[in-house]
Amino acid sequence: MRIVVALGGNALLQRGQRADAGAQRANVAVAVRALAALAADHEVVVTHGNGPQVGLLALQGEAYREEVEPYPLDVLGAESEGMIGYLLDQELVNALGGRQVATLLTQVIVDGDDPAFAHPTKFIGPVYLRSTAEILAAERGWRVAPDGPHWRRVVASPEPRSIVELPTIRLLVEAGVLVVCVGGGGIPVVVERDGHLRGVEAVIDKDRAAALLARGIGADALLLLTDVAAVERDHGTAEAAPIAAATPAELLGLGLPAGSMGPKVEAAAWFVQETGGRAAIGSLADASAVLAGERGTTVVATVPAAAGG
């Protein structure tokens, strides 16, 4: 089976955890144990989030504001894609023995007129108290928004339209290479009138980009792994209950917000609707069981009556 596995940014750097290289290496090692188990039996392509990391790079750039113009988000996205890709690549090579692994910097085309540029929703960087976030927003021209009990910076997250390096990814996959690509949703670019590519100030949602990648390479399944066990019905209430299986329409009908499981649900639903394949959302620790439909939330075109949960 050909599977695209999307690792959430919080699976690589946990909430509130110091963004040290050592902590990220340790988290990546845990992630790779789950990936190696999947790669033993399946054809795996890996993508990953970068929200905490790209936010950290932006903060580091602020320290040189007087000497150096802050780097734009497309460049920071490329830096984070290279950094996380390197850590994943190295751990995968160590875990998989002779298996060929390649990490590919990936550009993803967006529409320069996407309304998302006027309404930023994508969380990046660390969490703050509201008072601190509002001070930083005033000082640095940020937009900030609540993320659970905390506040974080938000940036534009336009819809991914196409993947520039998709033919190269296909060639590598067909050659039996385990590819790490479209990291952080890919580097956001637009196509100019002359056909040239230009980076833009945005961060693409990793789950939506992963769904586009999965369709583009003809994947049988899309696996969205995070630090949450499953999608819940009535989330945040006393009646909250995990959903074992659902159709795209059923999940989309939950109306989950952008700051929670909304993007994952939308990405999984879109992939299933577009391809007739299968998607699943669940915990990184349960990766193999999520793929098997034993844990997490499975998204399929038709759910047997006994499996709705």
Side-chain angles (χ1 to χ4, degrees):
M1 184 185 298
R2 180 174 293 178
I3 309 164
V4 168
V5 181
L7 302 174
N10 290 326
L12 301 174
L13 187 63
Q14 299 167 20
R15 292 177 185 271
Q17 189 175 31
R18 287 176 58 90
D20 297 330
Q24 296 190 67
R25 279 187 180 277
N27 290 334
V28 165
V30 172
V32 165
R33 285 199 288 272
L35 293 174
L38 293 173
D41 299 314
H42 303 286
E43 198 173 56
V44 172
V45 176
V46 179
T47 186
H48 57 81
N50 73 339
Q53 292 83 2
V54 77
L56 171 65
L57 291 172
L59 284 173
Q60 290 175 336
E62 292 287 339
Y64 298 93
R65 179 179 283 272
E66 294 183 5
E67 299 94 355
V68 180
E69 190 71 19
Y71 278 68
L73 284 173
D74 61 308
V75 175
L76 297 180
E79 290 182 17
S80 66
E81 190 175 6
M83 175 181 69
I84 299 168
Y86 157 65
L87 296 175
L88 283 167
D89 193 306
Q90 188 175 80
E91 287 294 333
L92 284 164
V93 168
N94 290 338
L96 298 177
R99 179 80 178 271
Q100 293 296 307
V101 180
T103 296
L104 187 67
L105 282 177
T106 318
Q107 301 172 92
V108 173
I109 294 171
V110 301
D111 185 346
D113 295 324
D114 193 306
F117 285 104
H119 303 284
T121 59
K122 178 67 174 175
F123 291 112
I124 67 168
V127 297
Y128 302 100
L129 296 174
R130 179 173 182 170
S131 57
T132 303
E134 290 176 343
I135 290 170
L136 290 170
E139 290 178 348
R140 299 171 178 175
W142 291 358
R143 301 263 191 108
V144 294
D147 181 14
H150 303 285
W151 284 64
R152 293 175 74 189
R153 182 185 177 188
V154 289
V155 299
S157 183
E159 194 75 20
R161 300 297 180 185
S162 61
I163 299 169
V164 175
E165 288 79 13
L166 185 62
T168 305
I169 296 168
R170 286 192 189 122
L171 283 173
L172 290 168
V173 171
E174 293 296 336
V177 178
L178 192 159
V179 185
V180 180
C181 58
V182 196
I187 303 163
V189 299
V190 295
V191 182
E192 303 279 27
R193 290 181 181 274
D194 60 5
H196 291 177
L197 300 175
R198 174 178 60 83
V200 291
E201 189 77 351
V203 173
I204 300 169
D205 182 79
K206 169 264 306 173
D207 297 311
R208 294 187 177 109
L212 186 66
L213 170 66
R215 187 186 69 170
I217 65 169
D220 302 294
L222 170 64
L223 207 56
L224 304 173
L225 301 178
T226 182
D227 55 356
V228 177
V231 180
E232 289 185 338
R233 184 177 288 106
D234 300 318
H235 177 70
T237 72
E239 290 75 36
I243 300 172
T247 65
E250 288 169 345
L251 282 188
L252 292 173
L254 297 174
L256 297 172
S260 66
M261 295 290 275
K264 287 181 172 51
V265 162
E266 291 172 8
W270 181 85
F271 174 73
V272 172
Q273 290 169 332
E274 289 287 315
T275 69
R278 182 162 63 93
I281 302 168
S283 170
L284 171 62
D286 299 329
S288 294
V290 172
L291 178 63
E294 298 165 357
R295 299 281 182 87
T297 300
T298 299
V299 189
V300 288
T302 305
V303 178

